[in-house]
Amino acid sequence: MAALRPCRRALVSPLCRAFSGPGCRLAPERAGERRDTAPSRVSGFCPPRKSCHDWIGPPDKHSNLRPVHFYVPENESPLEQKLRKLRQETQEWNQQFWANQNLTFCREKEEFIRSRLKAKGLELRTGSGQKATLDAEEMADFYREFLSKNFQKHMCYNRDWYKRNFAITFFMGKVALERVWNKLRPKQRKTST
């Protein structure tokens, strides 16, 4: 299994700095996982305890997406926690969608190939033992059919993806403003009586 590596952003904006802080701990794993059709547990690797960064893991074998282990600062504000949880939920939702979609695609592709080969009177394996394939034009029929059949599903996914990303961006702005406000606000001094 490939090791996780720290997330490096080429363009670090002030909004992305919302997750830096002096203390650090890792986000806990969710105990209740959905088991609809594709497993949602993507990696057993856990970044080092002293890490103060988000970590990106190797691609998931079902969704082909790289999972992120989110960094949790010790002094995380309620607004920062809400943002992190929204990011985690969005990642889990995205992983689950693409794992299910890829499993469906592979299953339907195999059924399509099997039915076309059977219609031609060919076996699934050639004489040399290799898997029989179809030409590009025949596979284009499958891809066109699959995309048209799943058009509405992909439209709903895109709509939800944009909604989630706008919400994440909105909360990132709120967190950045909260941090600026906390730096500019005069510190209260303890007065002795």
Side-chain angles (χ1 to χ4, degrees), residues 15 18 77 79-80 82-83 167-181:
L15 295 176
S77 72
L79 191 58
E80 289 172 322
K82 188 172 183 177
L83 172 61
I168 288 170
T169 303
F170 175 74
F171 279 108
M172 288 179 82
K174 286 178 75 171
V175 166
L177 288 174
E178 178 184 61
R179 285 181 170 249
V180 168
W181 176 253

mmCIF file of all heavy atoms in Angstrom, residues 15 18 77 79-80 82-83 167-181:
data_model
loop_
_atom_site.group_PDB
_atom_site.id
_atom_site.type_symbol
_atom_site.label_atom_id
_atom_site.label_comp_id
_atom_site.label_asym_id
_atom_site.label_seq_id
_atom_site.Cartn_x
_atom_site.Cartn_y
_atom_site.Cartn_z
ATOM 1 N N LEU A 15 -7.914 31.818 2.646
ATOM 2 C CA LEU A 15 -9.017 30.949 3.059
ATOM 3 C C LEU A 15 -8.529 29.548 3.402
ATOM 4 O O LEU A 15 -9.062 28.892 4.286
ATOM 5 C CB LEU A 15 -10.070 30.874 1.950
ATOM 6 C CG LEU A 15 -10.782 32.165 1.628
ATOM 7 C CD1 LEU A 15 -11.721 31.951 0.455
ATOM 8 C CD2 LEU A 15 -11.545 32.679 2.818
ATOM 9 N N ALA A 18 -7.078 28.438 6.991
ATOM 10 C CA ALA A 18 -7.991 28.304 8.125
ATOM 11 C C ALA A 18 -7.722 27.051 8.944
ATOM 12 O O ALA A 18 -8.204 26.928 10.053
ATOM 13 C CB ALA A 18 -9.434 28.284 7.618
ATOM 14 N N SER A 77 -12.517 26.129 16.336
ATOM 15 C CA SER A 77 -13.744 26.837 16.709
ATOM 16 C C SER A 77 -14.961 26.055 16.198
ATOM 17 O O SER A 77 -14.826 25.200 15.313
ATOM 18 C CB SER A 77 -13.735 28.249 16.115
ATOM 19 O OG SER A 77 -13.932 28.192 14.711
ATOM 20 N N LEU A 79 -17.244 27.045 14.219
ATOM 21 C CA LEU A 79 -17.400 27.314 12.783
ATOM 22 C C LEU A 79 -16.396 26.496 11.968
ATOM 23 O O LEU A 79 -16.734 25.919 10.927
ATOM 24 C CB LEU A 79 -17.223 28.805 12.505
ATOM 25 C CG LEU A 79 -17.615 29.297 11.122
ATOM 26 C CD1 LEU A 79 -19.076 28.978 10.813
ATOM 27 C CD2 LEU A 79 -17.375 30.785 11.002
ATOM 28 N N GLU A 80 -15.155 26.395 12.447
ATOM 29 C CA GLU A 80 -14.149 25.578 11.768
ATOM 30 C C GLU A 80 -14.543 24.103 11.790
ATOM 31 O O GLU A 80 -14.352 23.391 10.812
ATOM 32 C CB GLU A 80 -12.785 25.752 12.437
ATOM 33 C CG GLU A 80 -12.156 27.105 12.207
ATOM 34 C CD GLU A 80 -10.902 27.311 13.027
ATOM 35 O OE1 GLU A 80 -10.850 26.860 14.187
ATOM 36 O OE2 GLU A 80 -9.976 27.931 12.492
ATOM 37 N N LYS A 82 -17.608 22.944 11.895
ATOM 38 C CA LYS A 82 -18.720 22.776 10.952
ATOM 39 C C LYS A 82 -18.186 22.681 9.518
ATOM 40 O O LYS A 82 -18.645 21.841 8.740
ATOM 41 C CB LYS A 82 -19.683 23.948 11.092
ATOM 42 C CG LYS A 82 -20.957 23.795 10.322
ATOM 43 C CD LYS A 82 -21.935 24.900 10.659
ATOM 44 C CE LYS A 82 -23.242 24.685 9.929
ATOM 45 N NZ LYS A 82 -24.245 25.684 10.281
ATOM 46 N N LEU A 83 -17.205 23.514 9.195
ATOM 47 C CA LEU A 83 -16.593 23.469 7.862
ATOM 48 C C LEU A 83 -15.894 22.141 7.622
ATOM 49 O O LEU A 83 -16.073 21.513 6.573
ATOM 50 C CB LEU A 83 -15.596 24.626 7.698
ATOM 51 C CG LEU A 83 -14.739 24.604 6.434
ATOM 52 C CD1 LEU A 83 -15.602 24.668 5.187
ATOM 53 C CD2 LEU A 83 -13.744 25.754 6.453
ATOM 54 N N ALA A 167 -21.278 25.832 -0.671
ATOM 55 C CA ALA A 167 -21.429 25.872 0.785
ATOM 56 C C ALA A 167 -20.059 25.824 1.464
ATOM 57 O O ALA A 167 -19.804 26.580 2.420
ATOM 58 C CB ALA A 167 -22.300 24.707 1.262
ATOM 59 N N ILE A 168 -19.172 24.964 0.990
ATOM 60 C CA ILE A 168 -17.823 24.874 1.558
ATOM 61 C C ILE A 168 -17.087 26.201 1.377
ATOM 62 O O ILE A 168 -16.468 26.710 2.319
ATOM 63 C CB ILE A 168 -17.043 23.709 0.918
ATOM 64 C CG1 ILE A 168 -17.596 22.375 1.429
ATOM 65 C CG2 ILE A 168 -15.545 23.828 1.203
ATOM 66 C CD1 ILE A 168 -17.071 21.159 0.695
ATOM 67 N N THR A 169 -17.178 26.790 0.190
ATOM 68 C CA THR A 169 -16.521 28.070 -0.069
ATOM 69 C C THR A 169 -17.086 29.165 0.832
ATOM 70 O O THR A 169 -16.340 29.985 1.379
ATOM 71 C CB THR A 169 -16.676 28.461 -1.552
ATOM 72 O OG1 THR A 169 -16.142 27.406 -2.361
ATOM 73 C CG2 THR A 169 -15.947 29.753 -1.865
ATOM 74 N N PHE A 170 -18.397 29.174 1.017
ATOM 75 C CA PHE A 170 -19.047 30.152 1.895
ATOM 76 C C PHE A 170 -18.520 30.021 3.323
ATOM 77 O O PHE A 170 -18.153 31.009 3.962
ATOM 78 C CB PHE A 170 -20.569 29.950 1.848
ATOM 79 C CG PHE A 170 -21.317 30.831 2.799
ATOM 80 C CD1 PHE A 170 -21.476 32.184 2.547
ATOM 81 C CD2 PHE A 170 -21.878 30.298 3.950
ATOM 82 C CE1 PHE A 170 -22.171 32.993 3.435
ATOM 83 C CE2 PHE A 170 -22.570 31.092 4.838
ATOM 84 C CZ PHE A 170 -22.716 32.449 4.574
ATOM 85 N N PHE A 171 -18.457 28.782 3.837
ATOM 86 C CA PHE A 171 -17.970 28.569 5.200
ATOM 87 C C PHE A 171 -16.476 28.873 5.318
ATOM 88 O O PHE A 171 -16.017 29.332 6.364
ATOM 89 C CB PHE A 171 -18.279 27.152 5.688
ATOM 90 C CG PHE A 171 -19.677 27.005 6.184
ATOM 91 C CD1 PHE A 171 -20.615 26.298 5.447
ATOM 92 C CD2 PHE A 171 -20.073 27.577 7.377
ATOM 93 C CE1 PHE A 171 -21.911 26.171 5.889
ATOM 94 C CE2 PHE A 171 -21.369 27.455 7.831
ATOM 95 C CZ PHE A 171 -22.297 26.748 7.089
ATOM 96 N N MET A 172 -15.706 28.628 4.262
ATOM 97 C CA MET A 172 -14.291 28.999 4.287
ATOM 98 C C MET A 172 -14.146 30.509 4.431
ATOM 99 O O MET A 172 -13.271 30.997 5.164
ATOM 100 C CB MET A 172 -13.572 28.503 3.031
ATOM 101 C CG MET A 172 -13.357 27.008 3.008
ATOM 102 S SD MET A 172 -12.539 26.455 1.503
ATOM 103 C CE MET A 172 -10.846 26.795 1.942
ATOM 104 N N GLY A 173 -14.997 31.269 3.748
ATOM 105 C CA GLY A 173 -14.989 32.720 3.885
ATOM 106 C C GLY A 173 -15.346 33.147 5.293
ATOM 107 O O GLY A 173 -14.718 34.048 5.866
ATOM 108 N N LYS A 174 -16.365 32.506 5.872
ATOM 109 C CA LYS A 174 -16.763 32.839 7.243
ATOM 110 C C LYS A 174 -15.642 32.534 8.237
ATOM 111 O O LYS A 174 -15.393 33.309 9.161
ATOM 112 C CB LYS A 174 -18.033 32.072 7.622
ATOM 113 C CG LYS A 174 -19.286 32.615 6.974
ATOM 114 C CD LYS A 174 -20.526 31.811 7.335
ATOM 115 C CE LYS A 174 -20.972 32.117 8.739
ATOM 116 N NZ LYS A 174 -22.283 31.533 9.053
ATOM 117 N N VAL A 175 -14.954 31.403 8.046
ATOM 118 C CA VAL A 175 -13.850 31.038 8.933
ATOM 119 C C VAL A 175 -12.721 32.053 8.806
ATOM 120 O O VAL A 175 -12.137 32.485 9.815
ATOM 121 C CB VAL A 175 -13.349 29.604 8.627
ATOM 122 C CG1 VAL A 175 -12.006 29.340 9.277
ATOM 123 C CG2 VAL A 175 -14.372 28.574 9.089
ATOM 124 N N ALA A 176 -12.400 32.459 7.570
ATOM 125 C CA ALA A 176 -11.335 33.442 7.362
ATOM 126 C C ALA A 176 -11.696 34.771 8.031
ATOM 127 O O ALA A 176 -10.849 35.388 8.689
ATOM 128 C CB ALA A 176 -11.085 33.642 5.868
ATOM 129 N N LEU A 177 -12.951 35.200 7.884
ATOM 130 C CA LEU A 177 -13.383 36.438 8.538
ATOM 131 C C LEU A 177 -13.331 36.312 10.054
ATOM 132 O O LEU A 177 -12.934 37.248 10.748
ATOM 133 C CB LEU A 177 -14.794 36.813 8.081
ATOM 134 C CG LEU A 177 -14.917 37.320 6.652
ATOM 135 C CD1 LEU A 177 -16.379 37.515 6.270
ATOM 136 C CD2 LEU A 177 -14.146 38.620 6.473
ATOM 137 N N GLU A 178 -13.725 35.160 10.576
ATOM 138 C CA GLU A 178 -13.677 34.938 12.022
ATOM 139 C C GLU A 178 -12.235 35.028 12.524
ATOM 140 O O GLU A 178 -11.970 35.651 13.562
ATOM 141 C CB GLU A 178 -14.263 33.563 12.358
ATOM 142 C CG GLU A 178 -14.213 33.208 13.830
ATOM 143 C CD GLU A 178 -14.722 31.809 14.109
ATOM 144 O OE1 GLU A 178 -14.114 30.847 13.572
ATOM 145 O OE2 GLU A 178 -15.703 31.683 14.858
ATOM 146 N N ARG A 179 -11.296 34.446 11.794
ATOM 147 C CA ARG A 179 -9.883 34.498 12.198
ATOM 148 C C ARG A 179 -9.339 35.925 12.146
ATOM 149 O O ARG A 179 -8.602 36.346 13.030
ATOM 150 C CB ARG A 179 -9.047 33.574 11.328
ATOM 151 C CG ARG A 179 -9.259 32.130 11.691
ATOM 152 C CD ARG A 179 -8.412 31.224 10.842
ATOM 153 N NE ARG A 179 -8.499 29.902 11.415
ATOM 154 C CZ ARG A 179 -7.491 29.297 12.024
ATOM 155 N NH1 ARG A 179 -6.333 29.893 12.125
ATOM 156 N NH2 ARG A 179 -7.658 28.093 12.520
ATOM 157 N N VAL A 180 -9.702 36.680 11.095
ATOM 158 C CA VAL A 180 -9.259 38.067 10.999
ATOM 159 C C VAL A 180 -9.847 38.876 12.151
ATOM 160 O O VAL A 180 -9.157 39.662 12.792
ATOM 161 C CB VAL A 180 -9.647 38.671 9.627
ATOM 162 C CG1 VAL A 180 -9.461 40.177 9.614
ATOM 163 C CG2 VAL A 180 -8.845 38.026 8.519
ATOM 164 N N TRP A 181 -11.129 38.670 12.424
ATOM 165 C CA TRP A 181 -11.798 39.380 13.516
ATOM 166 C C TRP A 181 -11.135 39.063 14.856
ATOM 167 O O TRP A 181 -10.917 39.960 15.669
ATOM 168 C CB TRP A 181 -13.272 39.013 13.554
ATOM 169 C CG TRP A 181 -14.002 39.638 14.707
ATOM 170 C CD1 TRP A 181 -14.446 39.010 15.825
ATOM 171 C CD2 TRP A 181 -14.353 41.005 14.863
ATOM 172 N NE1 TRP A 181 -15.051 39.891 16.667
ATOM 173 C CE2 TRP A 181 -15.005 41.141 16.093
ATOM 174 C CE3 TRP A 181 -14.169 42.144 14.083
ATOM 175 C CZ2 TRP A 181 -15.484 42.346 16.573
ATOM 176 C CZ3 TRP A 181 -14.654 43.355 14.557
ATOM 177 C CH2 TRP A 181 -15.294 43.447 15.788
#
